[in-house]
């Protein structure tokens, strides 16, 4: 057993000054509802734990440190990063530190399980090549003790049973249960038994619960696409029966094109390709792997992840409806699907909307903010924070992915501008420093010191394309310039460039493609880096005023209260028409009459009714496919909808009565009805619409 006592509040402080007061994404809409994802940045393999009135969420951190992130919440919607289980990998292995041409991209910590028993917290996880690990602490903030349990148990769920025994549930397809030693010294291998045989359609990512005397195992499967399943039994050893509890809920996001290449971390000049995505495909974009939890009011919730393009894997929150003893995702009348916007759990009404991290930083404090992580173990002799700047010392590397002491944070969407001030006076010959996208393939914009010259370099590994510009005579007397990366992460595009004032971009490269890949199993990570490409220790790159400007974080104007607008169906491209015949149908694309003009009546908490400009209200006659969307003069008969914000002016209308969505078939010519279970991945099944304000 290895021990590592850490108090991370000494190393990474949650309190530091920020150069801007920019708004950051929070799922909380401020009106009693939330909109998925919970975080618009990567938080993969979520496992949820409730202790009293407090909720804790553990997630994968792979090769980055500090590792094993833990968030805290009082309402399941607003979260704060309060801990990491360790500040560096404590294995005597150069791969964990990017040394000797060895690395652990896509390895390290993944799929943790967080539990509370015996008066302490437990976080179990696998570390590739090192086996099963466990971290324990009396206080969730640490210090944490590290137990190397070894053994080949991974992607596991852990259950502390009523008899005091500890069980690990693991495996893909063939699911096994193994008892763990109480002193955490390892598994008791002779107890291992197959509890669900291959052929049952069950995958991996297991989460075990005992509810009312019944054992429930939540798992995910990837064949042929991501689905979430529940298996239940009266005994932990089985036999189990299994049901799918959610499938096809993508919130209108299609699968991304996976980066294609050979090998692992490949040299510059290698061939990459990112295929065009199939916009009709679900793959693993739908919500799948994760855990469930019961709140103080007896309502159950699922926190599941979904593959979210170049962002990586994000976490979502969905209500659970129990049906015949099964925890089905969704709402009565629409089981198996989940609303993108729903009501916050009624458990902490005084909780104010807030983001889990402060992302911008001016480096004036004594510690780095909690959002930052190093790419592999850092060499602490080669970085510092002095005189209000981050100082990174250049070490030998041939490219960004091999650069030690690269400081990173997860990219956040949907659209974000990053900029940082780089001071070059302490750089030496052969030094490279800049603002990077650590991904496979990588890209960056930065400065190369060649003799006494300063070369602005914009590099894309995808196309092996380098744009150079001599800027020696342009840099001011303080030797600084600003580097910019602007990400449109929903569309997997990046713009890069530099400026002398932090505002006006020069030498801009636009439309650089971003991808998701199964090498590092992470999305884009924004990086501050330096290395020396001439094989020696170099000088120092100084960084200041890092700004993360989230352009779409403010959603206060996304619901068009007080506006007159047309409703354009994305599937047909045509406006909704409240016909005099009394049904809602498509109109001509150029139709801009009273019958195509609508406004909202605010019913509170995101609920609305929809009124035509001529005074009539939208109602629904009946349910399901025969349930026409019709017009009525009587406001009391108007259908009450919960507005589903799909960002960028796009939305869906979910009936509060049936939990189905307003939609119109793009192929049959039928009028609008209220029978859609949700959007398809391409947003082309007639349920997703866009509002366009009518200018008077």
């Amino acid at each position: 057993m290895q021990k590592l006592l850490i108090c991370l509040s000494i190393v990474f402080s949650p309190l530091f000054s920020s150069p801007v007061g920019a708004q950051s994404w929070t799922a909380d809409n401020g009106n009693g509802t939330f909109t998925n994802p919970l975080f618009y940045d990567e938080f993969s393999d979520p496992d949820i734990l409730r202790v009293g009135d407090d909720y804790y969420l553990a997630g994968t951190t792979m090769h980055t440190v500090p590792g094993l992130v833990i968030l805290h919440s009082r309402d399941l919607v607003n979260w704060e990063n309060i801990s990491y289980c360790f500040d560096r990998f404590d294995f005597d292995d150069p791969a964990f530190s990017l040394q000797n041409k060895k690395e652990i991209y896509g390895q390290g910590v993944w799929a943790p399980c967080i539990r509370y028993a015996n008066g302490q917290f437990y976080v179990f996880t696998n570390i590739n090549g090192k086996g099963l690990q466990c971290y324990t602490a009396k206080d969730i903030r640490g210090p944490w003790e590290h137990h190397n349990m070894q053994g080949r148990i991974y992607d596991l769920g852990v259950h502390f049973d009523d008899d005091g025994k500890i069980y690990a549930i693991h495996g893909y397809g063939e699911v096994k249960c193994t008892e763990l030693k109480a002193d955490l010294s390892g598994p008791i291998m002779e107890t291992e038994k197959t509890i669900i045989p291959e052929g049952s359609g069950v995958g991996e990512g297991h989460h075990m619960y005992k509810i009312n005397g019944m054992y429930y195992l939540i798992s995910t499967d990837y064949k042929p696409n991501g689905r979430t399943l529940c298996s239940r039994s009266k005994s932990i050893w089985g036999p189990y029966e299994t049901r799918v509890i959610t499938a096809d809920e993508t919130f209108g996001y299609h699968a991304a094109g996976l980066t294609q290449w050979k090998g692992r971390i490949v040299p510059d000049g290698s061939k990459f390709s990112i295929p065009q995505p199939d916009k009709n495909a679900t793959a693993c974009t739908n919500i799948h792997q994760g855990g469930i939890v019961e709140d103080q009011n007896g309502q159950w919730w699922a926190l599941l992840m979904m593959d979210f393009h170049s962002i990586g894997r994000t976490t979502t929150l969905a209500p659970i409806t129990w049906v015949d003893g099964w925890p089905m995702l969704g709402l009565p009348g629409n089981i198996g699907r989940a609303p993108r916007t729903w009501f916050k759990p009624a458990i902490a009404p005084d909780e104010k909307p807030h983001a889990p991290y402060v992302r911008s930083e001016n480096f004036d404090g004594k510690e780095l903010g909690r959002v930052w992580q190093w790419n592999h173990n850092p060499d602490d002799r080669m970085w510092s924070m002095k005189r209000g700047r981050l100082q990174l010392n250049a070490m030998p590397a041939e490219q960004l992915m091999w650069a030690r002491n690269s400081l990173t944070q997860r990219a956040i969407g949907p659209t974000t501008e990053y900029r940082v001030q780089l001071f070059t006076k302490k750089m030496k010959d052969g030094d490279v420093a800049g603002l990077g996208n650590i991904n496979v393939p990588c890209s960056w914009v930065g400065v190369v010191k060649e003799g006494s010259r300063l070369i602005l370099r914009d590099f894309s590994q995808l196309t092996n394309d380098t744009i150079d510009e001599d800027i020696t005579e342009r840099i001011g007397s303080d030797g600084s310039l600003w580097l910019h990366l602007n990400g449109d992460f929903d569309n997997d595009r990046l713009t890069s460039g530099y400026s002398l004032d932090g505002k006006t971009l020069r030498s801009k490269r636009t439309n650089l493609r971003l991808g998701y890949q199964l090498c590092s199993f992470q999305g884009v990570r924004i990086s501050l880096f330096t290395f020396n490409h001439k094989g020696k220790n170099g000088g120092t790159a100084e960084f200041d005023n890092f700004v993360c400007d989230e352009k779409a974080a403010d959603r206060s104007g996304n619901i068009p209260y007080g506006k007159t607008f047309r409703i354009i169906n994305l599937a047909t491209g045509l406006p909704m028409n409240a016909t005099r015949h009394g049904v809602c149908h498509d109109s001509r694309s150029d139709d801009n009459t009273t019958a195509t003009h609508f406004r909202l009546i605010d019913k509170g908490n995101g609920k609305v009714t929809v009124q035509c400009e001529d005074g009539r209200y939208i109602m629904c006659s009946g349910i399901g496919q025969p349930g026409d969307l019709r017009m009525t003069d009587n406001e009391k008969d108007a259908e009450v909808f919960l507005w589903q914000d799909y960002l960028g002016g796009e939305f869906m209308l979910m009936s509060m009565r049936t939990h189905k969505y307003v939609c119109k078939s793009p192929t049959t010519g039928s009028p609008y009805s209220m029978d859609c279970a949700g959007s398809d991945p391409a947003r082309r099944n007639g349920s997703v619409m866009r509002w366009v304000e009518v200018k008077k």
Side-chain angles (χ1 to χ4, degrees), residues 246-259:
T246 184
D248 292 335
E249 186 53 77
T250 72
F251 301 119
Y253 285 87
H254 57 78
L258 289 177
T259 303

Side-chain angles (χ1 to χ4, degrees), residues 331-344:
L331 301 165
N334 197 3
I335 294 299
R337 302 297 292 268
R340 182 168 189 178
T341 298
W342 188 238
F343 302 107
K344 290 172 56 180

Side-chain angles (χ1 to χ4, degrees), residues 388-404:
R389 296 177 187 171
L390 171 68
Q391 315 229 355
L392 298 180
N393 297 337
M395 291 179 279
E398 62 188 49
Q399 57 142 296
L400 171 59
M401 300 296 284
W402 288 106
R404 301 187 64 196

Side-chain angles (χ1 to χ4, degrees), residues 239-308:
Y240 285 85
E241 54 179 333
T242 300
R243 285 190 182 180
V244 175
I245 60 175
T246 184
D248 292 335
E249 186 53 77
T250 72
F251 301 119
Y253 285 87
H254 57 78
L258 289 177
T259 303
Q260 305 295 310
W261 80 103
K262 292 183 179 180
R264 285 186 55 77
I265 307 306
V266 296
D268 292 343
S270 298
K271 292 184 178 180
F272 294 88
S273 65
I274 303 177
Q276 291 298 323
D278 180 353
K279 293 187 176 182
N280 296 306
T282 297
C284 293
T285 303
N286 52 3
I287 56 178
H288 51 287
Q289 186 167 327
I292 65 175
V293 69
E294 182 183 21
D295 70 21
Q296 296 94 308
N297 296 326
Q299 171 65 48
W300 284 82
W301 301 85
L303 288 95
L304 307 179
M305 73 176 183
M306 59 186 295
D307 291 15
F308 217 65

Side-chain angles (χ1 to χ4, degrees), residues 358-632:
V358 176
R359 303 177 190 278
S360 299
E361 179 154 12
N362 59 17
F363 304 109
D364 284 347
K366 295 182 179 180
E367 297 92 23
L368 290 165
R370 286 189 181 274
V371 71
W372 294 106
Q373 293 176 288
W374 297 101
N375 181 21
H376 293 66
N377 284 343
D379 183 338
D380 290 328
R381 302 167 301 174
M382 302 295 284
W383 75 277
S384 62
M385 293 173 66
K386 296 178 181 178
R387 296 179 293 278
R389 296 177 187 171
L390 171 68
Q391 315 229 355
L392 298 180
N393 297 337
M395 291 179 279
E398 62 188 49
Q399 57 142 296
L400 171 59
M401 300 296 284
W402 288 106
R404 301 187 64 196
N405 281 15
S406 294
L407 191 63
T408 74
Q409 60 173 266
R410 296 168 295 278
I412 183 167
T415 55
T416 302
E417 294 184 5
Y418 299 92
R419 58 186 181 272
V420 69
Q421 192 173 13
L422 170 65
F423 292 82
T424 63
K425 281 191 172 182
K426 296 181 181 179
M427 294 175 63
K428 294 182 179 180
D429 179 49
D431 285 357
V432 184
L435 180 63
N437 154 36
I438 290 187
N439 203 341
V440 181
C442 66
S443 58
W444 53 268
V445 59
V447 172
V448 182
K449 184 74 176 289
E450 296 290 359
S452 62
R453 311 302 293 175
L454 293 174
I455 309 300
L456 189 286
R457 178 163 295 171
D458 196 322
F459 173 73
S460 167
Q461 194 182 42
L462 174 64
T463 57
N464 195 36
D465 183 23
T466 300
I467 300 174
D468 281 355
E469 179 181 345
D470 192 323
I471 58 171
T472 308
E473 306 303 326
R474 292 188 178 182
I475 291 185
S477 59
D478 64 354
S480 76
L481 74 162
W482 291 78
L483 305 173
H484 297 252
L485 290 177
N486 299 342
D488 177 1
F489 298 108
D490 275 6
N491 295 303
D492 300 324
R493 300 290 173 174
L494 191 69
T495 296
S496 57
Y498 82 101
S499 71
L500 300 177
D501 58 3
K503 299 176 183 178
T504 307
L505 279 181
R506 298 169 179 249
S507 301
K508 182 169 68 173
R509 183 204 294 264
T510 62
N511 218 30
L512 179 65
R513 287 200 66 189
L514 299 171
Y516 183 66
Q517 35 68 37
L518 302 182
C519 175
S520 69
F521 281 92
Q522 290 183 326
V524 170
R525 295 188 72 88
I526 303 300
S527 172
L528 306 179
F529 71 90
T530 188
F531 61 91
N532 188 284
H533 73 95
K534 295 186 177 180
K536 59 186 179 182
N537 284 338
T540 302
E542 296 183 303
F543 295 90
D544 200 0
N545 300 314
F546 176 85
V547 177
C548 173
D549 188 0
E550 300 177 45
K551 297 300 184 182
D554 182 2
R555 305 193 302 283
S556 58
N558 286 17
I559 304 179
Y561 294 124
K563 300 180 186 295
T564 301
F565 57 91
R566 293 200 304 165
I567 298 174
I568 310 298
N569 194 298
L570 296 190
T572 65
L574 300 174
M576 179 187 289
N577 188 334
T579 68
R580 296 310 307 171
H581 187 55
V583 298
C584 290
H585 204 267
D586 274 347
S587 187
R588 300 187 312 273
S589 60
D590 60 350
D591 196 343
N592 199 10
T593 62
T594 298
T596 65
H597 294 179
F598 298 90
R599 50 181 172 247
L600 300 180
I601 298 175
D602 185 2
K603 293 296 183 179
N605 300 112
K607 294 179 292 185
V608 299
T609 55
V610 183
Q611 185 183 34
C612 184
E613 192 177 42
D614 63 16
R616 294 176 297 159
Y617 301 87
I618 287 181
M619 63 171 285
C620 185
S621 174
I623 60 174
Q625 197 259 345
D628 281 351
L629 213 64
R630 298 184 184 176
M631 305 306 296
T632 177

Side-chain angles (χ1 to χ4, degrees), residues 15 27 30 36 60 81 91 95 119 217 265 295 338 372 385 496 535 549 601 644 652 673:
L15 301 175
N36 283 306
T60 287
N81 179 7
F91 302 105
L217 182 64
I265 307 306
D295 70 21
W372 294 106
M385 293 173 66
S496 57
D549 188 0
I601 298 175
Q644 304 288 298
M652 296 202 304
S673 62

